Amino acid sequence: MTVTFENLPQAVSELHTKIDKLLHEKAEQKEADYLLTVPQLMDYLPDHPAKQTIYQWIWGRTVPYEKHGKRLYFRKSTIDKWLANGREL
């Protein structure tokens, strides 16, 4: 679309609509995918396992996790997939 002085308001309106849509999609992605700590994972999982149980899963590599420095994190989207697969990696 070639923008001219006559269709400038329509072009700006379309651009504004597209930006709003992109920002909304980005917000949904960010909301759905964030990092959980061990205590947050304990609260998030339906059976609320003990901290020691989660560390056993980590040691046995049965739960997906990320390590940033010395800290352990669990990506929410990955945990959701793990739960949907019957806790299979």
Side-chain angles (χ1 to χ4, degrees):
M1 169 183 193
T2 304
V3 179
T4 63
F5 185 74
E6 289 79 29
N7 66 4
L8 184 61
Q10 179 186 1
V12 170
S13 176
E14 288 178 18
L15 184 61
H16 181 61
T17 303
K18 289 179 181 180
I19 289 172
D20 281 346
K21 182 180 176 185
L22 287 172
L23 289 173
H24 181 71
E25 290 173 0
K26 179 75 173 171
E28 285 180 349
Q29 286 177 346
K30 191 172 188 176
E31 182 179 300
D33 195 24
Y34 55 89
L35 297 176
L36 300 167
T37 61
V38 172
Q40 290 171 329
L41 181 66
M42 291 167 54
D43 291 336
Y44 182 72
L45 292 175
D47 54 345
H48 304 290
K51 186 184 283 189
Q52 184 61 34
T53 303
I54 293 175
Y55 282 111
Q56 286 175 349
W57 292 343
I58 293 166
W59 185 78
R61 300 189 187 274
T62 58
V63 64
Y65 68 93
E66 298 177 18
K67 193 169 182 184
H68 298 277
K70 293 183 178 183
R71 298 182 185 260
L72 294 169
Y73 295 101
F74 308 87
R75 191 162 301 276
K76 183 183 174 295
S77 60
T78 308
I79 293 296
D80 290 339
K81 290 177 191 173
W82 178 69
L83 289 171
N85 289 334
R87 298 185 182 204
E88 296 282 327
L89 289 179

